Amino acid sequence: MLRTEFGLFVFSFGEFLTILGNIGLTPWDTVTMGISYHVPMTFGQVHVVSALIIVIIDLILGEKIGVGTILDAVSCGTFVDLFDRLIAFQGAANKWAGLAFLILGLLIMATGQVFYMSGGLSCGPRDSLMVAVGKRLPKIPIGYVDILMKIVLVGIALLLGGPVGAGTLIAMFGMGFAMQIVYGLFKFDPRKINQEGIATSIKHLFGN
């Protein structure tokens, strides 16, 4: 469980760095921020609520929901809000610095994914959705499946008035490529991980 939570912490820090880039949020985050413009909730709170809704979609698509899924749903938004309160930094001073923040953030996010997915406690809601779609497109590399999903998300973000910028377009393709690079270094494919459902996790916890 510590491996999973550590991975989520790393992922959230990468996500926070992409926000500090100030050149446009990642596709998922533009949707989250777009929703926050229309409801009396912080970015982190919307992140948590939307993650719980995606959990329901994952269940409908037949993905396992485990301890890792729940930890992701409640932790990532909370961690991002925590970083925002603790780190007194207003963001990148120029576009080149913003691009560096974005690229570094994407690579760190992909690294966090490797840690928490390989923990075997089930993927986070958004990554479970990616894996579910990936299973239905087995001939397409998982990184490219992610890119296709991001294109759809950017369309939704535009409808919500989310902060779509140059960084969003870079992240739309960059996250998939970052995953291909980092996953390749770790020789990791999330579709091959036998994720543990929450019922099995409970049995292990109580030694039955």
Side-chain angles (χ1 to χ4, degrees):
M1 188 176 295
L2 287 176
R3 182 185 183 89
T4 298
E5 193 65 22
F6 173 73
L8 293 172
F9 183 84
V10 172
F11 179 89
S12 300
F13 183 67
E15 187 173 20
F16 179 66
L17 288 180
T18 65
I19 295 172
L20 291 183
N22 285 337
I23 57 173
L25 302 180
T26 63
W28 275 115
D29 288 344
T30 56
V31 173
T32 301
M33 192 68 78
I35 294 173
S36 73
Y37 293 160
H38 302 282
V39 296
M41 300 169 68
T42 67
F43 173 89
Q45 290 168 341
V46 174
H47 199 295
V48 171
V49 173
S50 62
L52 294 174
I53 293 173
I54 296 170
V55 166
I56 296 173
I57 297 174
D58 292 335
L59 286 170
I60 293 173
L61 293 175
E63 286 301 300
K64 286 182 180 178
I65 299 302
V67 173
T69 312
I70 305 303
L71 286 175
D72 183 296
V74 301
S75 295
C76 286
T78 304
F79 281 145
V80 172
D81 276 352
L82 178 64
F83 292 135
D84 186 48
R85 289 195 296 269
L86 294 180
I87 300 177
F89 185 69
Q90 297 303 313
N94 56 64
K95 291 182 179 180
W96 290 111
L99 180 61
F101 271 97
L102 177 63
I103 293 173
L104 180 60
L106 293 177
L107 291 170
I108 291 175
M109 288 169 69
T111 302
Q113 286 177 321
V114 171
F115 277 100
Y116 77 72
M117 286 189 192
S118 62
L121 296 179
S122 291
C123 300
R126 295 166 180 81
D127 291 320
S128 290
L129 182 60
M130 176 188 66
V131 172
V133 174
K135 288 177 179 177
R136 289 159 176 78
L137 301 169
K139 294 183 179 179
I140 300 178
I142 194 69
Y144 300 139
V145 171
D146 183 74
I147 290 172
L148 292 173
M149 289 181 60
K150 295 300 192 295
I151 292 173
V152 174
L153 289 170
V154 169
I156 295 173
L158 287 170
L159 292 175
L160 291 170
V164 176
T168 308
L169 299 179
I170 294 170
M172 182 168 65
F173 298 98
M175 188 61 198
F177 288 120
M179 288 164 58
Q180 288 297 105
I181 292 169
V182 174
Y183 288 12
L185 290 174
F186 283 91
K187 297 183 176 9
F188 175 74
D189 186 336
R191 292 176 288 196
K192 295 180 180 179
I193 301 294
N194 183 24
Q195 300 291 353
E196 182 176 279
I198 195 165
T200 303
S201 296
I202 292 173
K203 288 180 180 180
H204 289 166
L205 181 63
F206 291 98
N208 294 324

